[in-house]
Amino acid sequence: MNLSDSVEVLAGIGEKTAETLKKYGIRTVRDFLYNLPRDYENFASPTSISEMRPGKVVIKGKIDSLSSRRARRRNLSVTEGVIRDSTGAVKVVWFNQGYRLKQFSPEKEYYFTGNYELKNGRYSLISPSAAEVADIGTRTGLVPVYVAHGRLKSHDFRRLINKSRDKFNQIPDLLPSVAKGTRKKALFYVHFPNSLKVITPAREYLAYEELFELILAAKLNRQENEKLKATPVPFNKDKIKEFVASLPFKLTNAQRLAAWEIFQNMEHPTPMNRLLQGDVGSGKTMVAGMAAYEVFLSGGQIAMLAPTAILASQHYEGLSRLLELFGVKTALLTGATKHKVELKKQIKNGEINLVIGTHALLTDDTEFNNLTLAIIDEQHRFGVAQRQKLLLKSPEGLAPHLLAMTATPIPRSLQLTVFGDLDVSILDEMPAGRQPVKTKILKEIEIEEKLYPEIRRVLSLKPDSKGKGHKMHGQQVYWICKAIEEGSMGDAPVSEVTSVKKRTKRLQEVFPDRKVEFLHGKMKPVEKDEIMERFAEGEIDILVSTTVVEVGVDVPNATLMVIENAESYGLAQLHQLRGRVGRGSSTSYCYLLTSGDTWPTKRLLELEKSNDGFYLSEVDLKMRGPGEIYGALQHGALDLRIASLTDTKLISKAQKDVAEFLKKPEDMVKYKELMSGITKYQQITTLN
Ligand code: ADP
Ligand code: MG
C-alpha cells in the first residue's frame, strides 16, 4: 500500500463510495487516514433504561418502530422510534436526520448517547448519536465521531476505518529526527484510542508534523521567490505627496503605512509578494491606486484583476478619475468590453498604463508591454492557475510585483506563523465616520410581525446621501438565501431552506408596490451584472440573492440586510456578507434569521456583538480551527486539520526544527513523503 494510492485500494471502498469521498477532497489513502475524528463519544458504562435520569445519558439497546414524518410547522422532518433494553423502553426522536431510518436493523444492538429530556410533555432521548456495538468491537467504549460527508455519515467512516485497521502498520514515518513508527502509532491512536489519555499526545504529534510541513513550505516558497527578478520601482516621494493631497479624503494611518510598506518593497529587484488585508470598507482600493501610480511614474504597466465585472467597473470608476488627472491612462477590460481588439493593441504597445479587468485579462491574447505590478483583488476568488496566468504576462525573465488583496482577515496568531514568510500589510482602521451595522438575531417566526414592518420602514426612508442611483425611491434591502442551486447546501436537506426564488415570490406578494428581484450564481454573468447594476441605480428595492453578493460591491443606499438560515454560514462569511451594508452615511441593519429551534449559536451571538473583522477572525479560529480560514482564503486549498495555530509552544518547536532541517538542503531529497506533503502547502502559502 502506498499513501498516495487511490482510496479504492482500501477494503470496503468501491467506486461509488470513492466518488462521494472525492467530492469532499478525500482521494488518496493518505487523505482517508488523515480524515480525523472531530470528537469522541464515550460509550463506556451505559446506564440501563430503567435508571435513566434527565440529562446526558449513554444506553445500549435495540431499536424498533422507526418512522419518519414531516412536522407541520416549517417543514421539519421528525424521525422517531423506540429503544429497548432488558429493563425498559424509551422513545427516541431525531430532527432533520432522515437517514436514521436506514441506519439501524432491528436485530442488532447499538449504543446511543444524547440528552434525555422533556419534549412535548414526554421524556424522550433527543437526537442521540449512535454506534453499532459490533462496530466498536475491541474498542473500549471510546468511539470516534467523524464529520458526515454527504451520504457518508460518521458511522460509515467508523465502519470503513475499522476495515483498514491492519493497514496502519504500513504507514511510513514522515519527519527526520523522530522515533521510528511515531507517525503510525499516532494515527492509530487517534482513530482507535484505547483510553482518553492516548488521544492528546497522538494529536499533538500529528499537529507538530503538520506545522513542520507548513512552515517548511513557507520557507521554501520564500527561497524560490527570492531567486526571481523584478523591475525595481523607485520611491517618488514628491509626486506621491501631490497625489495624496489631491484625494477627496484624508488617508487613514493604516493606509499610509500599508502604502509605505509597498513602496519600500517594490524598490527591490526581487518581486514583491505582499498580501494587503483589511476588513470590508477599510479602503484597500486606494492603497492599490497609490501603488499603481508609483509604478506608472517609473514607466511600468499595472494590471488589476477583480473577480466580477461589477467590481472591476467600480474600481475603474473610482480610480480612473483620480489617476487620469495625473496622466495615468486607464482602461477597463471585461467580457462586455467593446472594441477589445483595439484595446488589447493599446495594452500591448504600452499606450495604456493601468488595465482594470476580470478574467478577460487572463486570455492569451492580452499581452503587455511592460507589466510591472499585478494587483489581485479578493484574491481568494482566484485559483492558483489563474493567478499564475497573470504573473506570466511580464517581460521575459522578469516577474511582476504582486499585491494581493483580501477582506478575509487573517488572525494575528496565524500571521506570525504560517504567513511569517509572506509579507502582509494590514488595514486595521476604518475611514472616519463609519457607523457599525446594527445586528440582531431574529427567529423565522418573527418575520411577519417584526421584520416586514422594519423593512417597510427602511424602504420608505430618504435615500442615503452617498447613494449614486438615479432611480431611488427610498433605501434598499438585501435578502440573502441559501440557494438551492448553490453547492454550499451543507447537510441541510433542500426542503428545509427557503430558496431565492420562493423568497422572491413571497416578498413580491408582501411588498406589491416595490420592485423585488433575485440574483444567484447560476445566472449568466451578463444577467448578474445587469441586476447588480439596476440595484446600484436604485431601480430594485429588495434584492434577494445567494452569497454571490458577498464580493466587495458598493451600494451605499442599501442599508438593511436579512440573512436567512444564518446558522448555516461560517462566521467569516457572515461578516463578509454584512459588509455589503453600512457603506453609506445612514444607520444600517443586519438581521440574522434562525429557525429558532435551538439557542442561537456562539457564532451568531459574536456577530451580533462585534463589527470588528479581526476580532471575529480570532473567535472563528478558536471555534473552528484554522482549516476553514485557509479554505476561505485560498481557493481549493487543503486545510490544516489538526494543528491549532494558537499553540505557540508547538509552533516554535516546529520552527526551530525546520530551521535545523534547512541547514542541510541536500538531505531534503531523502524525505520523499515530506516533499510531496509540502507541495500542497506551498500552494497555500504562496500568492503566486
Ligand atoms: P475595501 O477595503 O472593502 O475594498 P474600498 O476600497 O472599496 O474598501 O473603500 C470603501 C469606500 O471607502 C470607498 O467608497 C472609498 O472611496 C472610501 N475610502 C477609502 N479610503 C478612505 C478614507 N481614507 N477616508 C474616507 N473614505 C475612504
Ligand atoms: Mg474591495
mmCIF file of all heavy atoms in Angstrom, residues 414-430:
data_model
loop_
_atom_site.group_PDB
_atom_site.id
_atom_site.type_symbol
_atom_site.label_atom_id
_atom_site.label_comp_id
_atom_site.label_asym_id
_atom_site.label_seq_id
_atom_site.Cartn_x
_atom_site.Cartn_y
_atom_site.Cartn_z
ATOM 1 N N LEU A 414 -2.089 33.565 13.382
ATOM 2 C CA LEU A 414 -1.805 32.830 12.168
ATOM 3 C C LEU A 414 -0.758 33.538 11.323
ATOM 4 O O LEU A 414 0.067 32.935 10.666
ATOM 5 C CB LEU A 414 -3.103 32.717 11.380
ATOM 6 C CG LEU A 414 -3.405 31.407 10.708
ATOM 7 C CD1 LEU A 414 -4.812 30.994 11.038
ATOM 8 C CD2 LEU A 414 -3.304 31.562 9.236
ATOM 9 N N GLN A 415 -0.822 34.853 11.364
ATOM 10 C CA GLN A 415 0.103 35.645 10.578
ATOM 11 C C GLN A 415 1.548 35.368 10.941
ATOM 12 O O GLN A 415 2.401 35.241 10.090
ATOM 13 C CB GLN A 415 -0.135 37.104 10.873
ATOM 14 C CG GLN A 415 -0.927 37.786 9.821
ATOM 15 C CD GLN A 415 -1.452 39.069 10.374
ATOM 16 O OE1 GLN A 415 -0.730 39.836 10.982
ATOM 17 N NE2 GLN A 415 -2.719 39.276 10.188
ATOM 18 N N LEU A 416 1.791 35.321 12.243
ATOM 19 C CA LEU A 416 3.161 35.178 12.700
ATOM 20 C C LEU A 416 3.732 33.841 12.304
ATOM 21 O O LEU A 416 4.920 33.688 12.119
ATOM 22 C CB LEU A 416 3.207 35.305 14.221
ATOM 23 C CG LEU A 416 2.879 36.701 14.705
ATOM 24 C CD1 LEU A 416 2.778 36.721 16.210
ATOM 25 C CD2 LEU A 416 3.955 37.673 14.232
ATOM 26 N N THR A 417 2.889 32.866 12.188
ATOM 27 C CA THR A 417 3.400 31.522 11.967
ATOM 28 C C THR A 417 3.374 31.177 10.505
ATOM 29 O O THR A 417 4.370 31.248 9.803
ATOM 30 C CB THR A 417 2.538 30.528 12.738
ATOM 31 O OG1 THR A 417 1.188 30.729 12.362
ATOM 32 C CG2 THR A 417 2.683 30.751 14.207
ATOM 33 N N VAL A 418 2.226 30.885 10.029
ATOM 34 C CA VAL A 418 2.082 30.418 8.674
ATOM 35 C C VAL A 418 2.502 31.455 7.672
ATOM 36 O O VAL A 418 3.165 31.180 6.696
ATOM 37 C CB VAL A 418 0.616 30.098 8.425
ATOM 38 C CG1 VAL A 418 0.486 29.482 7.070
ATOM 39 C CG2 VAL A 418 0.102 29.216 9.512
ATOM 40 N N PHE A 419 2.065 32.675 7.927
ATOM 41 C CA PHE A 419 2.355 33.718 6.971
ATOM 42 C C PHE A 419 3.598 34.493 7.364
ATOM 43 O O PHE A 419 3.850 35.556 6.845
ATOM 44 C CB PHE A 419 1.153 34.639 6.814
ATOM 45 C CG PHE A 419 0.017 33.949 6.123
ATOM 46 C CD1 PHE A 419 -1.010 33.387 6.848
ATOM 47 C CD2 PHE A 419 0.009 33.831 4.748
ATOM 48 C CE1 PHE A 419 -2.042 32.730 6.201
ATOM 49 C CE2 PHE A 419 -1.019 33.173 4.103
ATOM 50 C CZ PHE A 419 -2.047 32.623 4.827
ATOM 51 N N GLY A 420 4.352 33.923 8.286
ATOM 52 C CA GLY A 420 5.558 34.583 8.752
ATOM 53 C C GLY A 420 6.505 34.867 7.605
ATOM 54 O O GLY A 420 7.292 35.797 7.656
ATOM 55 N N ASP A 421 6.420 34.078 6.560
ATOM 56 C CA ASP A 421 7.327 34.269 5.448
ATOM 57 C C ASP A 421 6.675 34.956 4.267
ATOM 58 O O ASP A 421 7.193 34.994 3.173
ATOM 59 C CB ASP A 421 7.916 32.930 5.029
ATOM 60 C CG ASP A 421 9.008 32.544 5.998
ATOM 61 O OD1 ASP A 421 10.116 33.074 5.867
ATOM 62 O OD2 ASP A 421 8.719 31.768 6.930
ATOM 63 N N LEU A 422 5.513 35.487 4.529
ATOM 64 C CA LEU A 422 4.808 36.208 3.493
ATOM 65 C C LEU A 422 4.737 37.650 3.994
ATOM 66 O O LEU A 422 4.596 37.880 5.180
ATOM 67 C CB LEU A 422 3.404 35.630 3.413
ATOM 68 C CG LEU A 422 2.506 36.126 2.322
ATOM 69 C CD1 LEU A 422 2.831 35.360 1.052
ATOM 70 C CD2 LEU A 422 1.072 35.859 2.706
ATOM 71 N N ASP A 423 4.836 38.601 3.099
ATOM 72 C CA ASP A 423 4.740 39.972 3.558
ATOM 73 C C ASP A 423 3.285 40.390 3.601
ATOM 74 O O ASP A 423 2.560 40.206 2.633
ATOM 75 C CB ASP A 423 5.547 40.877 2.645
ATOM 76 C CG ASP A 423 7.023 40.546 2.727
ATOM 77 O OD1 ASP A 423 7.526 40.463 3.867
ATOM 78 O OD2 ASP A 423 7.660 40.321 1.688
ATOM 79 N N VAL A 424 2.885 40.909 4.734
ATOM 80 C CA VAL A 424 1.490 41.263 4.912
ATOM 81 C C VAL A 424 1.371 42.722 5.353
ATOM 82 O O VAL A 424 2.118 43.173 6.212
ATOM 83 C CB VAL A 424 0.821 40.370 5.985
ATOM 84 C CG1 VAL A 424 -0.629 40.757 6.175
ATOM 85 C CG2 VAL A 424 0.925 38.903 5.596
ATOM 86 N N SER A 425 0.481 43.456 4.727
ATOM 87 C CA SER A 425 0.135 44.795 5.207
ATOM 88 C C SER A 425 -1.307 44.748 5.694
ATOM 89 O O SER A 425 -2.146 44.095 5.083
ATOM 90 C CB SER A 425 0.236 45.830 4.093
ATOM 91 O OG SER A 425 1.568 45.957 3.674
ATOM 92 N N ILE A 426 -1.549 45.440 6.765
ATOM 93 C CA ILE A 426 -2.876 45.340 7.377
ATOM 94 C C ILE A 426 -3.553 46.698 7.476
ATOM 95 O O ILE A 426 -2.950 47.661 7.944
ATOM 96 C CB ILE A 426 -2.748 44.767 8.798
ATOM 97 C CG1 ILE A 426 -2.098 43.397 8.742
ATOM 98 C CG2 ILE A 426 -4.114 44.657 9.456
ATOM 99 C CD1 ILE A 426 -1.741 42.844 10.094
ATOM 100 N N LEU A 427 -4.785 46.764 7.031
ATOM 101 C CA LEU A 427 -5.582 47.966 7.288
ATOM 102 C C LEU A 427 -6.505 47.653 8.460
ATOM 103 O O LEU A 427 -7.540 47.018 8.299
ATOM 104 C CB LEU A 427 -6.405 48.349 6.052
ATOM 105 C CG LEU A 427 -5.616 48.649 4.781
ATOM 106 C CD1 LEU A 427 -6.541 49.121 3.667
ATOM 107 C CD2 LEU A 427 -4.540 49.695 5.039
ATOM 108 N N ASP A 428 -6.093 48.055 9.648
ATOM 109 C CA ASP A 428 -6.889 47.708 10.819
ATOM 110 C C ASP A 428 -7.622 48.932 11.358
ATOM 111 O O ASP A 428 -7.911 49.046 12.525
ATOM 112 C CB ASP A 428 -6.008 47.084 11.909
ATOM 113 C CG ASP A 428 -4.821 47.960 12.249
ATOM 114 O OD1 ASP A 428 -4.700 49.059 11.654
ATOM 115 O OD2 ASP A 428 -4.003 47.565 13.087
ATOM 116 N N GLU A 429 -7.913 49.845 10.463
ATOM 117 C CA GLU A 429 -8.514 51.102 10.879
ATOM 118 C C GLU A 429 -9.524 51.489 9.802
ATOM 119 O O GLU A 429 -9.244 51.376 8.619
ATOM 120 C CB GLU A 429 -7.386 52.132 10.943
ATOM 121 C CG GLU A 429 -7.744 53.476 11.451
ATOM 122 C CD GLU A 429 -6.548 54.426 11.287
ATOM 123 O OE1 GLU A 429 -5.430 53.976 10.963
ATOM 124 O OE2 GLU A 429 -6.765 55.627 11.461
ATOM 125 N N MET A 430 -10.684 51.914 10.233
ATOM 126 C CA MET A 430 -11.695 52.308 9.251
ATOM 127 C C MET A 430 -11.596 53.808 8.976
ATOM 128 O O MET A 430 -11.241 54.572 9.867
ATOM 129 C CB MET A 430 -13.092 52.010 9.786
ATOM 130 C CG MET A 430 -13.454 50.547 9.755
ATOM 131 S SD MET A 430 -13.723 50.015 8.068
ATOM 132 C CE MET A 430 -13.770 48.259 8.324
#
